[in-house]
Amino acid sequence: MADRLFQGIADQIVALIDEGVFPPGTRLPGERELAERFNVSRVTIREAAIALQAIGVLRIKTGSGIYVADRADRADDVLPAVSALELTEARALFESEAAALAAPVISDETLAKLDELLAAMAVEQDDARSTEIDREFHMTIASASGNGAITHVIRTLWRLRTELPEVRHTHESVCHHDGMTRQDEHAAVVEALRRHDPQGARVAMRQHFQRLLGSMLDATEERAISELRRKSQESRERFLMSAKIG
């Protein structure tokens, strides 16, 4: 599938690194040069680089370029390969409890910030910016819990959400079509926090993620059916071609 092309390119880049073409510590050629080298788009190169950064093979330095990580450092900050469903399940556990912990102690200033973020979500059209606002919304609630360990875990879960290409693609396929629903769910969380209601905040956040899980399952099923149809059509075309030759 086209959206998996980046994985093949990532594998080729790793092979070149292992062969010594790109030694540890060196800067990779620019996106345009790599795109021409592998005969793919610059977007595909970018996705491959993000995927390799997530597993510690590359380091992307904004304004500087993409660098090969030293082998000794590859274990640092390496993200596990998880599915969007696994991640959402984990977020439901941690973020629901973070909301419950935040509810009794959340300040008026933090509630005002959440209201501002809700307003920004309602008008933002750019997907990347919407994701950043969404992250700030959830991290604001996590920080309001007052539990540094939980905040750290949720920050790491958001790295999985934004840095693993497969997870990001799944979210994009779902979140692009459910803006109003998410807006209402986020508003319900804020209202429970405003009432200083731990159980209400927990339930509102959990319902948000349960609905997201259901949407992801539907999207996964649709992709599987689409892929099955594509393979079936390819088989049909090959059969018809063979029949004509015979």
Side-chain angles (χ1 to χ4, degrees):
M1 296 174 65
D3 62 356
R4 296 179 182 272
L5 180 59
F6 74 88
Q7 190 59 61
I9 300 303
D11 291 342
Q12 293 183 58
I13 292 174
V14 170
L16 291 172
I17 292 171
D18 290 341
E19 291 168 8
V21 177
F22 300 133
T26 60
R27 181 179 181 275
L28 291 186
E31 284 183 0
R32 179 175 299 175
E33 183 177 340
L34 288 172
E36 292 175 354
R37 177 173 191 153
F38 294 111
N39 193 31
V40 295
S41 70
R42 294 175 66 176
V43 172
T44 300
I45 295 298
R46 196 171 304 127
E47 292 286 272
I50 292 171
L52 292 177
Q53 176 176 248
I55 61 173
V57 174
L58 299 179
R59 295 285 183 267
I60 301 175
K61 300 181 181 179
T62 303
S64 177
I66 304 170
Y67 294 81
V68 180
D70 292 331
R71 291 184 181 277
D73 297 333
R74 284 194 184 183
D76 296 342
D77 296 325
V78 174
L79 298 175
V82 302
S83 70
L85 294 171
E86 289 175 305
L87 173 59
T88 304
E89 197 172 42
R91 287 185 63 195
L93 290 171
F94 284 97
E95 297 203 38
S96 296
E97 291 311 307
L101 287 172
V105 297
I106 194 165
S107 67
D108 290 341
E109 290 78 12
T110 300
L111 286 168
K113 180 179 180 180
L114 291 173
D115 286 335
E116 290 175 3
L117 291 170
L118 280 175
M121 287 181 202
V123 298
E124 185 58 59
Q125 299 296 316
D126 180 73
D127 287 345
R129 178 58 185 150
S130 292
T131 298
E132 182 54 36
I133 296 172
D134 189 26
R135 178 187 182 281
E136 187 175 358
F137 177 86
H138 284 275
M139 287 307 308
T140 297
I141 295 172
S143 297
S145 73
N147 187 308
I150 289 179
T151 302
H152 174 74
V153 169
I154 293 174
R155 184 179 296 112
T156 302
L157 292 176
W158 265 95
R159 283 194 61 205
L160 294 170
R161 160 73 176 83
T162 58
E163 295 182 30
L164 295 181
E166 290 284 0
V167 172
R168 195 169 68 254
H169 287 321
T170 300
H171 273 273
E172 288 170 356
S173 68
V174 172
C175 296
H176 185 72
H177 303 289
D178 68 352
M180 289 303 298
T181 303
R182 283 189 301 134
Q183 185 75 5
D184 291 342
E185 291 166 352
H186 286 150
V189 174
V190 174
E191 287 310 306
L193 292 172
R194 201 184 314 278
R195 296 193 307 270
H196 299 288
D197 177 3
Q199 181 60 12
R202 178 187 289 114
V203 170
M205 186 69 83
R206 186 176 296 155
Q207 288 176 341
H208 169 52
F209 284 113
Q210 286 175 339
R211 196 273 311 163
L212 182 57
L213 274 170
S215 296
M216 285 180 174
L217 286 168
D218 290 341
T220 301
E221 184 177 288
E222 288 175 6
R223 282 199 302 273
I225 292 173
S226 178
E227 178 67 4
L228 183 61
R229 286 173 176 165
R230 184 186 66 80
K231 291 181 178 179
S232 177
Q233 181 62 25
E234 288 179 353
S235 297
R236 177 183 176 85
E237 290 173 357
R238 284 197 300 271
F239 175 78
L240 291 175
M241 187 178 295
S242 299
K244 288 180 180 177
I245 294 174

